[in-house]
Amino acid sequence: MGFLAFLILGLIAGAIAKLILPGKQGGGWLITLLLGVVGAILGGWLGSVLFGVGLEEFWDLSTWLLAIGGAIIVLLIYGLITRGSRKAA
């Protein structure tokens, strides 16, 4: 998968993860892009380790599910880290 396709996948996966998770997460589209790309990398790695499936094709359902799952994990971790900073402000 090309670099631009991976960025698009990360942006969309991050946005879908924000829609799936309840509550109000901070951050704009740049944070969504970064968390989505990190989540896609994490999802691809977990998929290859656990299931032997990676981020191969852009239009493959397993690619999208792994990227969205990884983005949800990263978004949950991001929420735990930034929760304390929002309460202090």
Side-chain angles (χ1 to χ4, degrees):
M1 184 177 350
F3 181 72
L4 184 59
F6 197 76
L7 288 179
I8 292 170
L9 173 71
L11 179 62
I12 295 171
I16 292 172
K18 275 193 171 188
L19 289 174
I20 291 173
L21 288 177
K24 185 174 182 179
Q25 294 88 17
W29 68 270
L30 184 61
I31 296 296
T32 301
L33 174 69
L34 292 174
L35 292 176
V37 169
V38 171
I41 292 170
L42 176 66
W45 179 77
L46 285 174
S48 66
V49 169
L50 297 176
F51 308 115
V53 178
L55 302 177
E56 311 274 326
E57 294 284 327
F58 184 78
W59 295 111
D60 191 18
L61 180 62
S62 64
T63 297
W64 285 91
L65 292 176
L66 288 172
I68 292 169
I72 288 172
I73 293 169
V74 170
L75 195 58
L76 285 171
I77 294 170
Y78 177 76
L80 290 173
I81 292 171
T82 60
R83 184 183 326 177
S85 64
R86 277 188 280 161
K87 287 181 181 176

